Amino acid sequence: MVVVLGAYLLAFGAAWVVIVVSPPSWHPLLAAFVADVVATLVVFALSMAFDNASLYDPYWSVAPPVVAAWWVAVAGSGDTVRQVLVVGLISVWAVRLTGNWAYGWTGLHKVDWRYDQLRVTRGRVPWWVVNLGGIQLMPTVVVYIGLLSVWPALAGSRPFGLLDVVATLVTAGAIALEAVADLQLHRFAAAAANRGRILATGVWRRTRHPNYLGEIALWWGLWLFGLAAAPSWWWTGVGPLAMVVLFKTASIPLMDRRSLERRSGYADHMREVPALLPRLRGPHRQLTAPNATEHH
């Protein structure tokens, strides 16, 4: 953990240098993006030095509150209530999600199985290219696109209103869903009696990937804040749309494919339980194949 903390201190130190030396003509969106990429490059370099691409994993949740806090500092305007809510909700989400990562982090010997798979199946593409482009830069860019709506949410001049209330409920509900899903998963996996079974109770009874559903909903909630503050920035909806594409085309298929290969009965589970949007009724029976765990 000391290595991880040191890596992120170096990364955000480099990002701060970018902010300090950036030309005054740069919009905060541009300055934040360049700093974000530079911080990612530092984490990438260290992940190569320690031969562990998972060093990047917490970046997904660590970077957004830092960016949001800086945007508040330079916004120069904006509704205070909305600013407090947006930064507060992003911070709660970040602390919880980073804590969930730390809970499962056992040291530099641990690497996400998906990265090992990419390393084996990359063909003639150099590993550093796969690591930099597919594992680190791509998520950084997707998260930054998701954050685009946070700028108008923090700098927009429209007063706090009904749409902000809806945004608060959606964002807070998304955080709660992710927290409940992870808690239920940890408790289920910790019980020896559950070995050989699929988690199909609680929120996992309604959707195969409730934590992914919560993650997507969070970014839509932040977009609603941006829409409430500055409707002309409606186009930042490209951010949550990018999240939907990422989870639907990459994360969920990878998780389901792995479970199908390793767990008998998972095909029945897929037929009974939808991937994201929940059904009103859960599965008719308790499935008995091993549980498929999730990872952000």
Side-chain angles (χ1 to χ4, degrees):
M1 190 62 71
V2 173
V3 172
V4 177
L5 291 174
Y8 280 78
L9 286 175
L10 285 174
F12 288 119
W16 180 246
V17 170
V18 171
I19 295 300
V20 170
V21 303
S22 62
S25 59
W26 280 16
H27 190 281
L29 287 176
L30 175 59
F33 177 72
V34 175
D36 203 8
V37 171
V38 168
T40 300
L41 292 175
V42 172
V43 175
F44 160 72
L46 292 169
S47 75
M48 292 297 294
F50 288 98
D51 194 26
N52 189 326
S54 283
L55 199 65
Y56 174 82
D57 288 350
Y59 195 89
W60 178 286
S61 54
V62 171
V66 177
V67 174
W70 181 68
W71 278 346
V72 168
V74 299
S77 62
D79 184 273
T80 302
V81 174
R82 185 184 296 113
Q83 289 177 338
V84 170
L85 275 173
V86 170
V87 175
L89 287 167
I90 291 176
S91 299
V92 170
W93 163 81
V95 169
R96 194 214 65 80
L97 191 55
T98 306
N100 188 63
W101 166 83
Y103 176 84
W105 175 255
T106 56
L108 287 171
H109 63 278
K110 180 178 179 180
V111 180
D112 190 301
W113 62 267
R114 290 169 291 192
Y115 306 161
D116 285 335
Q117 188 179 75
L118 283 171
R119 197 164 195 163
V120 171
T121 60
R122 72 183 192 277
R124 296 184 178 181
V125 181
W127 169 240
W128 73 267
V129 173
V130 175
N131 186 11
L132 176 60
I135 295 175
Q136 305 201 29
L137 274 182
M138 186 272 289
T140 289
V141 171
V142 170
V143 169
Y144 184 79
I145 292 173
L147 282 172
L148 286 176
S149 61
V150 173
W151 169 255
L154 298 174
S157 58
R158 288 169 64 102
F160 190 89
L162 180 59
L163 188 54
D164 290 288
V165 175
V166 175
T168 302
L169 294 175
V170 171
T171 309
I175 296 170
L177 175 58
E178 288 189 88
V180 169
D182 285 334
L183 179 61
Q184 290 178 351
L185 180 59
H186 292 318
R187 288 178 175 174
F188 185 88
N194 289 327
R195 291 183 180 178
R197 299 179 69 85
I198 289 174
L199 176 53
T201 57
V203 295
W204 297 85
R205 180 178 175 83
R206 307 296 178 182
T207 166
R208 294 199 307 276
H209 305 280
N211 46 2
Y212 289 167
L213 176 61
E215 188 69 15
I216 291 171
L218 174 118
W219 296 99
W220 280 111
L222 295 177
W223 176 74
L224 288 174
F225 275 117
L227 190 66
S232 63
W233 286 68
W234 59 268
W235 56 269
T236 57
V238 68
L241 282 175
M243 291 292 174
V244 173
V245 172
L246 174 66
F247 284 107
K248 287 288 289 183
T249 63
S251 301
I252 290 174
L254 277 173
M255 293 300 302
D256 285 343
R257 191 178 307 121
R258 178 176 170 86
S259 297
L260 283 169
E261 293 172 352
R262 301 181 62 192
R263 294 160 167 81
S264 61
Y266 195 78
D268 291 333
H269 184 61
M270 290 180 66
R271 285 190 289 269
E272 296 254 3
V273 181
L276 278 177
L277 296 179
R279 294 173 182 164
L280 295 179
R281 290 186 178 183
H284 298 294
R285 56 193 174 84
Q286 175 66 49
L287 301 172
T288 58
N291 177 54
T293 60
E294 300 280 339
H295 176 76
H296 280 290

Coordinates of all heavy atoms in Angstrom, one line a residue, residues 50 67 69 78 85 107 119 124 156 164-165 207 222 224 258 260 295:
F50 N 7.0 -1.7 -11.7 CA 6.7 -2.7 -10.7 C 6.0 -3.9 -11.3 O 5.6 -4.8 -10.6 CB 5.8 -2.1 -9.6 CG 6.5 -1.2 -8.6 CD1 6.4 0.1 -8.8 CD2 7.2 -1.7 -7.6 CE1 7.1 1.0 -7.9 CE2 7.9 -0.9 -6.7 CZ 7.8 0.5 -6.9
V67 N -10.3 16.6 -9.3 CA -10.6 17.5 -10.4 C -11.8 18.4 -10.0 O -11.8 19.6 -10.2 CB -11.0 16.7 -11.6 CG1 -11.5 17.6 -12.8 CG2 -9.8 15.9 -12.1
A69 N -12.8 19.4 -7.0 CA -12.4 20.3 -6.0 C -11.6 21.5 -6.7 O -11.9 22.7 -6.3 CB -11.5 19.7 -4.9
G78 N -21.3 30.2 -9.5 CA -21.9 28.9 -9.3 C -22.8 28.9 -8.0 O -22.5 29.7 -7.1
L85 N -23.2 19.9 -2.8 CA -23.7 18.6 -3.1 C -22.9 17.8 -4.1 O -22.7 16.6 -3.9 CB -25.2 18.8 -3.6 CG -26.3 18.9 -2.5 CD1 -27.6 19.3 -3.2 CD2 -26.4 17.7 -1.7
G107 N -1.6 -6.7 -2.3 CA -0.2 -6.3 -2.5 C 0.1 -6.3 -4.0 O -0.7 -6.6 -4.8
R119 N -2.6 -9.7 -21.5 CA -1.2 -9.9 -21.7 C -0.9 -11.2 -22.5 O 0.0 -11.3 -23.3 CB -0.4 -10.0 -20.3 CG 1.0 -9.8 -20.4 CD 1.6 -9.5 -19.1 NE 3.0 -9.0 -19.1 CZ 3.6 -8.4 -18.1 NH1 3.0 -8.2 -17.0 NH2 4.8 -8.0 -18.3
R124 N 1.2 -9.8 -31.1 CA 2.5 -9.1 -31.3 C 2.5 -7.7 -30.8 O 3.5 -7.0 -30.9 CB 2.8 -9.2 -32.8 CG 3.0 -10.6 -33.3 CD 3.5 -10.5 -34.8 NE 3.7 -11.8 -35.3 CZ 4.2 -12.1 -36.6 NH1 4.4 -11.1 -37.4 NH2 4.4 -13.3 -37.0
G156 N -22.1 26.8 -13.3 CA -23.4 27.3 -13.8 C -24.1 28.2 -12.8 O -24.0 28.0 -11.6
D164 N -32.3 19.7 -9.6 CA -31.2 19.4 -8.7 C -31.6 18.4 -7.7 O -30.8 17.6 -7.3 CB -30.7 20.7 -8.0 CG -30.0 21.6 -9.0 OD1 -28.8 21.3 -9.4 OD2 -30.6 22.7 -9.3
V165 N -32.8 18.5 -7.2 CA -33.3 17.5 -6.3 C -33.3 16.1 -6.9 O -32.9 15.2 -6.3 CB -34.7 17.9 -5.8 CG1 -35.3 16.8 -4.9 CG2 -34.7 19.3 -5.0
T207 N -30.6 -8.0 -10.8 CA -29.7 -7.7 -11.9 C -28.4 -8.4 -11.6 O -28.0 -8.5 -10.5 CB -29.5 -6.1 -12.0 OG1 -28.4 -5.9 -12.8 CG2 -29.2 -5.5 -10.7
L222 N -24.8 13.0 -12.2 CA -24.0 14.2 -12.3 C -24.3 15.0 -13.5 O -24.3 16.2 -13.5 CB -22.5 13.7 -12.3 CG -22.0 13.1 -11.1 CD1 -20.5 12.6 -11.3 CD2 -22.0 14.0 -9.9
L224 N -27.3 15.3 -14.7 CA -28.5 16.0 -14.4 C -28.2 17.3 -13.6 O -28.8 18.4 -13.8 CB -29.5 15.2 -13.5 CG -30.2 14.0 -14.3 CD1 -31.0 13.2 -13.3 CD2 -31.1 14.6 -15.4
R258 N -16.3 -15.0 -18.6 CA -15.4 -15.7 -17.6 C -16.3 -16.6 -16.7 O -15.9 -17.8 -16.4 CB -14.7 -14.7 -16.7 CG -13.8 -15.3 -15.6 CD -13.0 -14.2 -14.9 NE -12.4 -14.7 -13.7 CZ -11.1 -15.2 -13.7 NH1 -10.5 -15.4 -14.9 NH2 -10.6 -15.6 -12.6
L260 N -19.2 -17.9 -17.5 CA -19.7 -19.0 -18.3 C -18.6 -20.1 -18.5 O -18.9 -21.3 -18.5 CB -20.1 -18.5 -19.7 CG -21.5 -17.8 -19.8 CD1 -21.6 -17.1 -21.1 CD2 -22.6 -18.8 -19.5
H295 N -15.7 -6.5 -10.2 CA -14.5 -5.6 -9.9 C -14.6 -4.4 -10.7 O -14.8 -4.4 -11.9 CB -13.2 -6.4 -10.2 CG -12.0 -5.5 -9.9 ND1 -11.5 -5.2 -8.7 CD2 -11.2 -4.9 -10.8 CE1 -10.5 -4.5 -8.8 NE2 -10.2 -4.3 -10.1

